Each structure stands twice: as structure tokens, then as C-alpha cells.
């Protein structure tokens, strides 16, 4: 009887163990997965509770609209999805360091975390040219992480801009 109970206990432990042996992903692994989504579409992804709620790519040239950056389109879509202009609890993943316009929109939308891949020495406002996202006077300061999958982002962006230059040359 004791032997049977111990076998039952072993089976129970084995069954329970099979449910907990799946390793939980680290925050960095989760961030890398969502950044890979941003790379795949060549733009920005917004998540809430680790679920994608909006994604967009740059449409500046296509729409002939200087404000059609991936970040702004994704922010608009996320606000519509949540029926709120406040994106608290959301993370924005983008392949290139945000410009001043996009960084300003992120602050105004109260995005909680901004994760970007490649640094932008010409227009980046998350530390390269300036740091609007962490400006001490502003009413909101998101957590910022730059350089995630930087090389992958840089390769994708280089390819994108080369194709745009070829397209504009006709």
C-alpha cells in the first residue's frame, strides 16, 4: 500500500513537473521576439500585456506624407484598438531610434516602454542627437532601451533605404 502511494505520488509529481518544465521567457527574450516582428514588417509594433495590438511600417513615400512614420501610424492604430489616447502599459518596438516627432508622440501617448534597434546619429531623439524621451521637464518619461538586435535592424534599414534610393532614381 505504501509502495502504491509512493508510485502515485511519483506519477503526480511527474505530471506536475511536465507542466512547469517549460522555461519562462526572460523580458529580453520577449523583447527580441517582438523586435523581430518589427524587423519583419520594417517598422513598429506596439504591445500590451505581451500581445501585439498595432503594427505599421513607414508610409512617408507611399503616401507623400512627412508624418507617416511607422511609429505614428502604430500609435494611432493602438489608440483606436484600446479606444484611448493613453497607451499606458504599452511597449513600442521600432527598428530605428525615434525622431523628434515620433518621440514627442510617444511621450504624449504615455507609452510605458520604448525599445529600438539601430541608433540614428542624424535624427535620433532617444540619446543620439538629443533625448526627448527622457527629458526631465516633460510630464511623462518612458523606459527606453536602445540597440536591441541592432545589427539585424541596421541590415534591414540599409536594404530598405537602398531600395528607396533606386526607386527614386527611376
Amino acid at each position: 500500500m505504501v509502495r502504491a502511494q509512493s508510485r502515485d505520488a511519483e506519477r503526480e509529481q511527474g505530471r506536475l513537473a511536465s507542466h512547469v518544465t517549460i522555461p519562462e521567457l526572460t523580458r529580453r527574450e520577449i523583447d527580441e521576439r517582438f523586435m523581430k516582428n518589427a524587423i519583419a514588417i520594417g517598422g513598429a509594433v506596439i504591445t500590451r500585456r505581451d500581445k501585439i495590438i498595432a503594427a505599421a511600417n513607414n508610409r512617408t513615400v507611399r503616401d507623400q506624407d512627412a508624418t507617416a512614420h511607422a511609429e505614428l501610424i502604430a500609435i494611432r492604430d493602438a489608440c483606436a484598438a484600446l479606444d484611448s489616447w493613453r497607451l499606458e502599459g504599452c511597449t513600442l518596438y521600432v527598428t530605428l531610434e525615434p525622431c523628434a516627432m515620433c518621440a514627442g508622440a510617444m511621450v504624449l501617448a504615455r507609452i510605458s516602454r520604448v525599445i529600438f534597434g539601430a541608433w540614428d546619429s542624424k535624427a535620433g531623439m532617444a540619446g543620439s542627437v538629443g533625448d526627448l524621451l527622457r527629458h526631465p521637464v516633460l510630464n511623462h518619461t518612458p523606459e527606453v532601451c536602445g540597440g536591441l538586435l541592432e545589427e539585424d535592424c541596421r541590415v534591414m534599414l540599409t536594404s530598405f533605404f537602398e531600395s528607396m534610393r533606386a526607386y527614386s532614381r527611376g
Side-chain angles (χ1 to χ4, degrees):
M1 179 82 163
V2 173
R3 180 83 173 144
Q5 286 177 343
S6 80
R7 266 185 275 168
D8 288 342
E10 287 172 11
R11 270 198 301 272
E12 184 65 21
Q13 286 175 343
R15 191 164 47 96
L16 292 175
S18 69
H19 287 87
V20 294
T21 54
I22 299 169
E24 292 208 16
L25 296 175
T26 66
R27 181 77 252 162
R28 180 171 177 92
E29 289 169 329
I30 293 167
D31 288 343
E32 286 179 357
R33 284 185 175 194
F34 287 122
M35 182 60 80
K36 287 177 182 176
N37 282 288
I39 293 168
I41 64 167
V45 170
I46 298 179
T47 65
R48 186 167 195 202
R49 296 186 188 111
D50 294 330
K51 180 181 174 201
I52 295 174
I53 60 168
N57 58 7
N58 259 350
R59 297 196 304 228
T60 304
V61 174
R62 187 195 85 179
D63 295 353
Q64 291 300 295
D65 178 355
T67 67
H69 290 199
E71 299 96 309
L72 291 185
I73 296 165
I75 288 170
R76 287 184 200 125
D77 291 350
C79 289
L82 298 178
D83 195 27
S84 175
W85 64 272
R86 289 177 177 260
L87 298 179
E88 295 162 327
C90 292
T91 299
L92 187 146
Y93 299 87
V94 64
T95 54
L96 185 63
E97 180 181 4
C99 69
M101 174 180 64
C102 294
M106 292 170 198
V107 169
L108 292 172
R110 312 294 199 274
I111 290 176
S112 298
R113 298 176 69 231
V114 176
I115 314 293
F116 66 90
W119 294 88
D120 185 354
S121 62
K122 294 180 182 177
M125 290 304 287
S128 290
V129 175
D131 198 345
L132 187 58
L133 290 173
R134 291 174 281 214
H135 196 283
V137 177
L138 297 178
N139 63 342
H140 176 72
T141 306
E143 176 187 334
V144 178
C145 174
L148 184 67
L149 301 179
E150 182 173 10
E151 187 58 30
D152 295 341
C153 291
R154 187 176 316 290
V155 167
M156 184 278 303
L157 289 162
T158 299
S159 174
F160 169 77
F161 286 117
E162 284 174 356
S163 69
M164 292 307 297
R165 282 191 287 279
Y167 174 78
S168 67
R169 281 183 246 148

